[in-house]
Amino acid sequence: YCPEDNSLWLGSVGKGLYHLSANGKLKHYTHQQSGTGHLQGNKISAVFTLDADSVLVTNEYGIDLYLAEKDSFCPIFSAA
């Protein structure tokens, strides 16, 4: 839960990450085989909201930082 914007981040075991905004819009984020800006893995172990614009996500391959202004993820740590 992110109290700054009343949204909810939900991690799954194998299907990535979901973001439910305060207005009811659901967005789904997953690992992609190519390109940048996506999760390193789909097995989410923890989600930490830093503020309304930044969320840390841990998964089986490392830690990703969500950047709201880009609506994408940046790897912070890679376990590979």
Side-chain angles (χ1 to χ4, degrees):
Y1 175 70
C2 182
E4 289 84 5
D5 66 358
N6 291 317
S7 68
L8 187 62
W9 289 90
L10 305 163
S12 71
V13 180
K15 299 213 183 255
L17 183 69
Y18 297 87
H19 181 228
L20 181 62
S21 66
N23 66 4
K25 181 181 176 186
L26 183 66
K27 185 140 187 188
H28 185 205
Y29 299 94
T30 60
H31 168 72
Q32 304 295 317
Q33 292 295 338
S34 62
T36 60
H38 53 78
L39 293 167
Q40 293 183 72
N42 287 324
K43 187 187 280 185
I44 308 302
S45 16
V47 179
F48 303 96
T49 55
L50 303 176
D51 56 42
D53 296 324
S54 304
V55 177
L56 279 177
V57 180
T58 63
N59 56 61
E60 74 269 38
Y61 296 112
I63 301 171
D64 298 309
L65 175 65
Y66 174 75
L67 303 169
E69 69 272 3
K70 295 182 179 183
D71 191 29
S72 67
F73 292 88
C74 175
I76 299 298
F77 172 77
S78 180

